[in-house]
């Protein structure tokens, strides 16, 4: 009996030692002594298209609505977006941009024509939300505006006049029109894109053709200091980037790229909420592809622009699932779970780590469409798990990126593995901020942080996690996924020890 007890004791000790050693494997070095590029706050940008209930119902309900509003903009949404410090909003599309004629959306609302939104559900677009409304909305939430011009069905003159209408302080027919419509002073709009997905819904062009067209449009976008953006590649179309950089580098400030995380395929994208661990794994594996895309597009850009003057702008990214049952298939309305929180955390870490070339990203889309930070249903509003990740990560806006080295456990499922921990770091105003994702839905990760170049006296942290991989926040119910204070960490001998919960996104700040 005594032998049996001591054997049990020994076995327990061995098990504890094994568990501890398995858990201590993650080591992260944050090089506070080697500051990198500035993380442009525009990396935390959003995309708002005339699609489903992103604009109408999401942002704008009109000033006659019984939903509380300021000049038609939903007060609850405005407050939530201000809390998020949204730095930038891209508008009016997307595919919609290349069907949009901006003069339809100015002047008295009663005289604005209704059109058919041909890409998104064939619904009536009454143009009650146009240039003035968009720019007023940006001013209201304190965000910069990014306007996407119409190339697919527009003209150089139409684009040139839009830039002039918005930005010019000279005397001209366009500035007089703006003043007649109630806006005396020009707006300060820096970001302008020449078409959207010109390889697809924006005109089905070849890069050789679009490069010349881009140069033509860019020549007539006359406003000092504006940032001209060329429509970029679809996912890994590296040839597109090569041609655009070869032919048009000197006339552009930014080149975009689009990549959506689709768990299965475009025919069946999978459910937003009903999925198992294998789908969780596949989704995160697919989202990690963003790192390869950014690396390879950047390498091509480096050839033509070694000083990295031109930004790589990921101006559409996020998850894309099947629409929620019973909703309009053209409206792309999907729920948002803890899985989306991880997708957001991973992508934002990737963008931070590539801040020397990636100068902007726009999650698709801000409200009620694809991977949204906010969902609305009539008077109700829900903040999604993705919202809370953006809230944690806002500390990185305009901070200085710090290089990180990560040595971690693997998250393994059915003979496939991913690094279990994903991380980025930055410093601003004497505070070092590290954002971490634990991809493993079953195991916590014991992490030891070394921060050469930083004096650790105080540490604090926040976490976004939940009990289930598909936990989400729904209308009329208590939120299942929010942010919480995180206490499972301490400073030991000048290092930080932390235990990241399974399936979590964590912000750790030291000063
Ligand atoms: O975000 C939805 C659509 O996805 C956009 O309109 C288009 O640019 C992309 O294909």
């Amino acid at each position: 009996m005594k032998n049996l007890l001591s054997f049990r004791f020994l076995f327990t000790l061995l098990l504890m030692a094994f568990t501890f050693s398995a858990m201590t494997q993650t080591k992260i070095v944050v090089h506070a002594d080697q500051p990198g590029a500035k993380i442009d706050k525009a990396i935390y940008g959003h995309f708002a298209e005339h699609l489903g209930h992103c604009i109408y119902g999401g942002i704008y309900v009109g000033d006659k609505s019984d939903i509380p509003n300021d000049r038609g903009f939903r007060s609850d949404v405005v407050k939530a977006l201000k809390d998020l410090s949204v730095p930038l909003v891209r508008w009016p599309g997307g595919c919609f941009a290349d069907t949009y004629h901006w003069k339809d959306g100015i002047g008295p609302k009663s005289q604005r024509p209704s059109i058919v939104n041909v890409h998104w559900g064939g619904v009536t677009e009454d143009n009650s939300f146009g240039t003035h409304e968009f720019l007023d909305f940006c001013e209201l939430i304190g965000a910069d505006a990014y306007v996407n011009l119409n190339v697919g069905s527009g003209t150089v003159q139409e684009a040139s006049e839009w830039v002039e209408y918005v930005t010019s302080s000279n005397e001209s027919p366009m500035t007089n029109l703006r003043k007649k419509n109630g806006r005396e002073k020009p707006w300060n709009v820096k970001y302008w894109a020449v078409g959207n997905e010109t390889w697809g819904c924006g005109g089905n062009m070849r890069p050789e053709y679009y490069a010349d067209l881009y140069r033509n449009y860019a020549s007539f976008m006359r406003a000092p200091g504006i940032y001209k953006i060329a429509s970029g590649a679809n996912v890994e179309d590296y040839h597109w980037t090569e041609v655009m950089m070869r032919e048009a580098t000197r006339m552009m400030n930014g080149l975009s790229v689009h990549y959506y995380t689709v768990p299965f395929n475009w025919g069946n994208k999978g459910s937003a909420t009903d999925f198992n661990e294998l789908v969780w794994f596949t989704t995160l594996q697919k989202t990690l592809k963003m790192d390869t895309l950014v690396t390879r597009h950047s390498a091509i850009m480096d050839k033509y622009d070694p000083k990295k003057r031109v930004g790589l702008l990921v101006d559409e990214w996020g998850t894309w699932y099947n629409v929620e049952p019973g909703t309009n298939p053209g409206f792309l309305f999907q729920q948002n779970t803890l899985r989306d929180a991880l997708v957001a955390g991973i992508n934002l870490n990737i963008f931070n780590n590539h801040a020397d070339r990636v100068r902007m990203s726009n999650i698709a889309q801000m409200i009620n469409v694809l991977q949204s930070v906010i969902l609305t249903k009539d008077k109700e509003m829900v903040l999604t798990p993705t919202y809370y990740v953006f809230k944690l990560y806002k500390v990185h806006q305009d901070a200085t990126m710090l290089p990180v080295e990560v040595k971690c456990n693997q998250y393994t499922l059915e003979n496939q593995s991913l690094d279990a921990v994903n991380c980025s770091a930055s410093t601003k105003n004497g505070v070092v901020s590290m954002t971490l994702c634990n991809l493993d839905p079953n195991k916590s990760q014991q992490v030891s942080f070394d921060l050469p170049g930083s004096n650790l006296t105080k540490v604090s942290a926040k976490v976004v996690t939940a009990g289930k991989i598909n936990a989400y926040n729904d209308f009329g119910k208590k939120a299942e996924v929010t942010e919480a204070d995180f206490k499972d960490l301490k400073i030991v001998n000048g290092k930080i020890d932390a235990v990241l919960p399974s399936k979590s996104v964590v912000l750790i700040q030291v000063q």
Side-chain angles (χ1 to χ4, degrees):
M1 184 66 177
K2 201 174 157 206
N3 276 352
L4 194 65
L5 277 178
S6 53
F7 174 75
R8 273 204 185 144
F9 179 65
L10 202 66
F11 180 76
T12 312
L13 273 184
L14 275 173
L15 194 70
M16 279 171 67
F18 176 77
T19 314
F20 185 71
S21 68
M23 286 179 70
T24 48
Q25 282 174 7
T26 299
K27 292 206 176 337
I28 297 183
V29 183
V30 177
H31 285 286
D33 53 346
Q34 293 171 27
K38 181 173 118 177
I39 296 174
D40 198 314
K41 65 178 179 180
I43 283 180
Y44 290 83
H46 292 246
F47 171 36
E49 180 168 13
H50 287 243
L51 196 177
H53 291 298
C54 184
I55 302 289
Y56 300 111
I59 292 172
Y60 189 72
V61 287
D63 56 7
K64 307 275 178 311
S65 173
D66 57 357
I67 297 173
N69 68 81
D70 176 352
R71 290 166 286 158
F73 307 110
R74 283 182 78 122
S75 305
D76 52 356
V77 165
V78 166
K79 174 168 184 327
L81 294 173
K82 277 170 123 171
D83 290 347
L84 215 48
S85 308
V86 169
L88 173 84
V89 188
R90 173 177 182 243
W91 172 87
C95 295
F96 181 79
D98 286 288
T99 62
Y100 184 61
H101 299 285
W102 68 272
K103 285 182 187 161
D104 290 349
I106 55 170
K109 293 197 182 187
S110 58
Q111 287 167 30
R112 297 185 193 178
S114 285
I115 59 162
V116 179
N117 189 333
V118 288
H119 284 293
W120 306 118
V123 294
T124 300
E125 161 63 61
D126 71 0
N127 280 305
S128 56
F129 188 97
T131 301
H132 290 247
E133 289 75 21
F134 171 61
L135 297 174
D136 285 351
F137 168 67
C138 288
E139 280 183 350
L140 199 56
I141 64 166
D144 288 338
Y146 167 7
V147 176
N148 209 115
L149 301 166
N150 177 350
V151 168
S153 69
T155 62
V156 175
Q157 181 182 358
E158 186 184 18
S160 162
E161 287 183 345
W162 200 3
V163 175
E164 185 184 330
Y165 181 92
V166 169
T167 63
S168 175
S169 48
N170 294 331
E171 175 79 16
S172 77
M174 284 306 113
T175 56
N176 287 338
L177 184 59
R178 183 189 73 223
K179 289 173 195 166
K180 193 173 139 218
N181 289 331
R183 175 80 186 196
E184 187 64 28
K185 280 206 245 138
W187 288 277
N188 179 16
V189 176
K190 179 174 158 191
Y191 298 103
W192 296 85
V194 177
N196 164 72
E197 296 193 351
T198 46
W199 42 263
C201 65
N204 288 300
M205 301 173 209
R206 295 171 308 115
E208 291 78 7
Y209 175 76
Y210 171 66
D212 278 350
L213 201 53
Y214 172 80
R215 288 161 53 143
N216 187 188
Y217 271 75
S219 305
F220 295 93
M221 292 157 70
R222 292 205 194 91
I226 61 170
Y227 190 98
K228 298 178 188 178
I229 299 164
S231 159
N234 180 21
V235 195
E236 68 266 276
D237 183 352
Y238 300 114
H239 174 67
W240 187 282
T241 300
E242 180 81 41
V243 174
M244 289 306 299
M245 291 302 290
R246 190 182 70 217
E247 304 299 339
T249 295
R250 78 184 164 84
M251 296 191 73
M252 67 169 89
N253 302 98
L255 177 64
S256 71
V257 59
H258 289 180
Y259 172 55
Y260 284 96
T261 300
V262 180
F264 298 130
N265 55 58
W266 286 103
N268 173 18
K269 300 179 275 301
S271 160
T273 53
D274 185 9
F275 57 89
N276 60 21
E277 188 183 341
L278 185 58
V279 181
W280 161 278
F281 183 97
T282 310
T283 308
L284 302 188
Q285 187 179 45
K286 287 195 169 182
T287 222
L288 282 160
K289 179 176 170 180
M290 184 65 90
D291 197 44
T292 309
L293 293 173
V294 166
T295 305
R296 293 196 54 189
H297 284 293
S298 298
I300 296 166
M301 294 175 80
D302 285 349
K303 271 203 311 186
Y304 297 94
D305 176 35
K307 294 203 170 133
K308 300 183 192 292
R309 182 187 60 80
V310 179
L312 178 61
L313 318 179
V314 190
D315 62 9
E316 286 185 33
W317 67 272
T319 52
W320 194 321
Y321 309 123
N322 295 335
V323 297
E324 291 304 321
T327 64
N328 187 329
F331 283 11
L332 310 186
F333 178 78
Q334 65 189 39
Q335 251 296 354
N336 194 294
T337 67
L338 183 60
R339 172 177 59 164
D340 296 270
L342 270 289
V343 166
I346 291 168
N347 279 282
L348 293 170
N349 280 341
I350 292 171
F351 302 147
N352 287 345
N353 288 332
H354 288 275
D356 60 338
R357 181 63 85 177
V358 176
R359 309 269 164 70
M360 178 199 290
S361 95
N362 304 75
I363 190 163
Q365 298 191 6
M366 189 180 235
I367 305 175
N368 292 329
V369 173
L370 302 176
Q371 189 178 349
S372 305
V373 292
I374 295 174
L375 302 176
T376 63
K377 189 167 84 181
D378 306 323
K379 285 185 177 170
E380 287 180 86
M381 178 185 79
V382 156
L383 304 179
T384 67
T386 301
Y387 178 93
Y388 290 103
V389 171
F390 270 77
K391 199 155 172 230
L392 292 196
Y393 277 60
K394 69 180 183 179
V395 295
H396 292 304
Q397 291 188 24
D398 280 345
T400 303
M401 176 272 211
L402 298 175
V404 290
E405 281 171 59
V406 181
K407 229 168 102 191
C408 66
N409 292 318
Q410 293 294 296
Y411 162 36
T412 305
L413 190 73
E414 297 191 359
N415 300 323
Q416 296 196 80
S417 294
L418 302 173
D419 280 353
V421 178
N422 177 280
C423 172
S424 72
S426 71
T427 182
K428 191 160 82 177
N429 303 329
V431 179
V432 174
S433 303
M434 298 165 281
T435 42
L436 302 118
C437 301
N438 179 2
L439 282 58
D440 195 319
N442 306 308
K443 291 184 195 147
S444 55
Q445 307 292 328
Q446 171 110 25
V447 185
S448 163
F449 295 89
D450 198 358
L451 286 93
S454 155
N455 292 325
L456 310 179
T457 51
K458 222 171 106 193
V459 60
S460 63
K462 287 195 182 298
V463 63
V464 174
T465 188
K468 292 185 297 179
I469 53 176
N470 59 348
Y472 62 95
N473 302 334
D474 206 357
F475 299 102
K477 295 191 182 143
K478 187 171 178 289
E480 288 187 33
V481 193
T482 58
E483 61 173 346
D485 286 339
F486 177 66
K487 302 275 181 218
D488 214 348
L489 78 174
K490 55 182 183 294
I491 300 176
V492 185
N493 299 331
K495 296 189 178 185
I496 302 168
D497 283 348
V499 181
L500 308 180
S502 62
K503 50 182 168 343
S504 66
V505 182
V506 174
L507 162 71
I508 300 179
Q509 293 193 285
V510 294
Q511 49 189 315

